[in-house]
Structures are given as C-alpha cells and as structure tokens.
Amino acid sequence: MSQIVWIARHANRLDFVNPEWFNTAERRYDPPLSADGFLQAQELAERLKGERISHVFASPFLRTVQTANQVAEILDLPLKLEWGLCEWLNPEWMTEMPETLPREVLAQEFPRIDLSYHSRVMPKYPEYDRICVQRAGETARLLADEFSDEILLVGHGASVIGATMGLAVEAAEIELSAGLCCLYKLVRQGETWEMELKGDRSHLREIEAEIRFF
C-alpha cells in the first residue's frame, strides 16, 4: 500500500488581523489564531474528516497547535508536537529565539497533546532560508519513515514548503506557495513521492488576497 503525507499551514493569525497585538503581547512571536482563523481550522478539519490519517504532528507554536487540534479532535487522534516543523527562525523577523508555551502548559489546554512524544529534530536560532528548508525536509522524511501510516504535518509557510521539498523531487523544480490553511498531499510510490495536491485551499470559504509569511 502507498503511504500518504498531508502537509498543512496554520490558519489565520491574530497579528495579521490586528498588528497592534504585537506591541503588547507577552510572547510576541507566538500569536494565537484570529477569529476567522478558527473557522479556517474547522474547515481544514472537515476537509480531512474522511481521510485515514493515523498521526497528527504540529509545530509547537500556538497557532499551529490550535489549527492541528481542530483536526485531531474531529479525527479523535493524539497530537504530537514537533519542533522540526516550527516557524522559520529568521533573525530579520525575530530578535531572539521565539518563546512558546511549555508542552505541559499547552497540554492543559489541549489534552490531546501526547507528552510521551519528543521532537525528532530541534532547530537552532538564528536560521537562514536554506537551513530552514533543509530542516523541515529532514523532519518530513524522518516522520514518514518512522510512522508508516497516513500522517498530517501542520507547520508554517516556510516549513510547509521545506517539508514538501524534502519528500517530492519535483517540488524543487516548481514554484510552491503556502497560503493560510493550505494543503499539500504527497503519495509515496515505491521510492518516490508524487504530489497530488499543491497548496490547495478549495476547502476554505475565504482565502487571503496576498500570501504573507510574517
């Protein structure tokens, strides 16, 4: 049987809707979802409801956890936090390593988080574009090899593209985009991966006019 890896970007974030949030936030680089972002996450969950996903992985940033938790809820699955899927640790965006909530604190709000799971890849700040793409690609390959069932990876704009490029050879030869709550579908055929969905957002009622990364 062929293996399927789904890769999704988080839904809309609060600081995209309200830029002033950043100025007073306790964790400035870890915004939650916006109100419409929660609706997008629900639409993503409904899109994946009929799929045979067995494992859900998410970057430990709040917006990715909130997005992935919607899917984990509808599929009745645990949620594994994986730092290898995290935001691009770009020093032009961030003046320091971004602070996120501790796993134990997140698990209090999101009981589906599997505290027995530990990240397979740990990024280091600062991180430049090539390193971010390589890191996300390595993470996707490791998880696909270790968890042979159908899996979902929920990350950020750069890590979604990097994870896709890490699996599909043709991804390096075409222009990839990663809009909010977009979806990639990669199918393993023998030793290669084929891309069946490319940044798909047909499950969303509304999409952003311009794709933003930060």
Side-chain angles (χ1 to χ4, degrees), residues 181-200:
C181 236
C182 74
L183 193 60
Y184 281 82
K185 180 182 180 182
L186 304 174
V187 180
R188 190 198 294 262
Q189 301 290 354
E191 297 300 316
T192 62
W193 292 85
E194 296 182 4
M195 190 186 309
E196 291 195 359
L197 285 180
K198 175 180 172 284
D200 181 58

Side-chain angles (χ1 to χ4, degrees), residues 141-161:
R141 290 191 298 272
L142 287 172
L143 296 179
D145 288 342
E146 181 177 352
F147 299 88
S148 58
D149 299 322
E150 197 164 321
I151 65 176
L152 168 66
L153 315 179
V154 181
H156 307 257
S159 62
V160 164
I161 290 174

Side-chain angles (χ1 to χ4, degrees), residues 6 19-20 22 39 41 53 55 59 61 79 81 87 110 117 123 138 140 147 150 156 167-169 178 200 209-210:
W6 301 87
E20 294 300 316
F22 181 86
L39 293 176
I53 295 169
H55 301 277
S59 154
F61 284 72
L79 177 56
L81 302 186
E87 178 67 278
F110 306 99
Y117 177 84
E138 176 190 4
F147 299 88
E150 197 164 321
H156 307 257
L167 295 179
V169 173
D200 181 58
E210 180 182 356

Side-chain angles (χ1 to χ4, degrees), residues 2-3 9 29 35 42 48 123 132 146 184:
S2 60
Q3 182 186 11
R9 187 183 178 188
Y29 305 116
Q42 291 170 6
L48 295 172
C132 173
E146 181 177 352
Y184 281 82

